[in-house]
Amino acid sequence: MAEAGKINPMSQFEITPIGADQLAATPFQFTNSALWMLIVLVTIIIFMWGGTRRQLVPGRWQAAVEMLTGFVDNITRENIGKQGRKYLPWVFTAFIFILVSNWMGAMPFAVVPGAHPFTVTSQFTVTGVMSIISFAIVLGVGFWTHGLKFFSLFVPHGTPLPLKVLIAPIEFISFLVRPFSLGLRPFIAMFAGHVLLDVFGNFVVQGFSAGGAAGYGVGLLAFVFVIFVNALELLVGAIQAFVFALLTALYINDAVNLH
């Protein structure tokens, strides 16, 4: 991570193969990104399994699962309407995957040698694919429900004819940008936050290694910033999961109701 005294905060985003010797002769590689995706998936499955007990008096585990599913269900119902329940599986899947991925990547697993976490949502390929899936659902629902009338989404109702010529291309371009911006938002948030954590973490190490009043002062101040940024990362991770779910519901609502 640091070579010749230089800080390289980008090294934490490198995708490296695991067990490369065994897979060297194949086009497939099991990477640290794939490993942490599996860890996130197993964590989600275990968490959701705790909510299937259906106890009359729910425990904390079951209550947490029910609260989370109810929260996302409210997002779909309030923003899509009565049909929102049909789209809950994907909206909830996207929400819980981004949330757990963001929080897992912010956990201090690195205190155990060789257990450095990898935040899969810091890779645009992951969030980008999720946004493409959301966009595909929007297109599928729009054309399946309304046919070619779906194109009326790009022309606001009641717009005078001269303005339609100007507004329609702008609305169409704005619509095409949606999947890109939807996936870019959580990626940038996690990417920037982890770079800050790495930079301030290196300041802590270098400050205490330098010694002296100035070194310890810089190290202590940087340590305070690490705590603050790490807490902010947890908050931003939850907000980004919520925003992704909310925007997905809003985009589906446009396809369902042609607003």
Side-chain angles (χ1 to χ4, degrees):
M1 185 171 293
E3 184 177 0
K6 294 182 179 180
I7 299 175
N8 181 20
M10 306 305 295
S11 62
Q12 62 182 311
F13 305 111
E14 293 178 359
I15 298 179
T16 56
I18 299 174
D21 294 338
Q22 291 79 7
L23 299 174
T26 73
F28 305 101
Q29 294 288 343
F30 186 73
T31 65
N32 54 344
S33 177
L35 172 63
W36 280 95
M37 282 189 193
L38 287 177
I39 293 174
V40 169
L41 177 61
V42 171
T43 302
I44 293 174
I45 291 174
I46 294 174
F47 174 72
M48 295 304 298
W49 171 80
T52 61
R53 299 182 180 183
R54 303 297 182 185
Q55 296 178 356
L56 183 60
V57 181
R60 294 181 180 178
W61 194 345
Q62 180 180 338
V65 173
E66 292 179 353
M67 180 185 67
L68 201 60
T69 53
F71 174 72
V72 181
D73 183 45
N74 287 335
I75 293 177
T76 57
R77 288 180 180 273
E78 291 178 1
N79 294 283
I80 302 176
K82 296 180 180 179
Q83 301 185 53
R85 192 65 180 269
K86 295 192 299 185
Y87 309 102
L88 177 61
W90 167 245
V91 177
F92 181 79
T93 298
F95 173 83
I96 194 68
F97 180 81
I98 293 177
L99 178 66
V100 176
S101 298
N102 291 348
W103 281 2
M104 291 284 285
M107 295 294 104
F109 296 129
V111 295
V112 178
H116 193 284
F118 185 90
T119 309
V120 296
T121 46
S122 66
Q123 301 293 320
F124 185 62
T125 51
V126 175
T127 58
V129 167
M130 294 181 66
S131 65
I132 289 174
I133 294 174
S134 296
F135 191 65
I137 293 174
V138 171
L139 291 178
V141 171
F143 284 111
W144 179 267
T145 304
H146 305 287
L148 294 179
K149 188 180 178 182
F150 178 64
F151 287 108
S152 65
L153 177 67
F154 309 127
V155 182
H157 181 70
T159 304
L161 181 60
L163 291 180
K164 289 182 179 180
V165 180
L166 298 175
I167 293 178
I170 296 175
E171 290 290 331
F172 182 71
I173 295 174
S174 175
F175 182 80
L176 294 180
V177 170
R178 286 181 177 182
F180 180 76
S181 62
L182 187 64
L184 190 65
R185 189 177 290 102
F187 154 69
I188 290 179
M190 291 300 101
F191 187 89
H194 281 62
V195 168
L196 283 176
L197 282 174
D198 192 69
V199 170
F200 284 122
N202 276 278
F203 285 166
V204 172
V205 174
Q206 293 180 8
F208 284 107
S209 297
Y216 287 121
V218 170
L220 184 60
L221 183 61
F223 182 72
V224 173
F225 272 107
V226 167
I227 296 176
F228 172 76
V229 173
N230 202 63
L232 187 62
E233 276 281 275
L234 295 176
L235 177 61
V236 171
I239 291 175
Q240 289 303 320
F242 167 73
V243 169
F244 192 98
L246 177 62
L247 290 179
T248 298
L250 289 173
Y251 295 159
I252 293 175
N253 174 61
D254 288 343
V256 172
N257 301 307
L258 290 183
H259 287 322

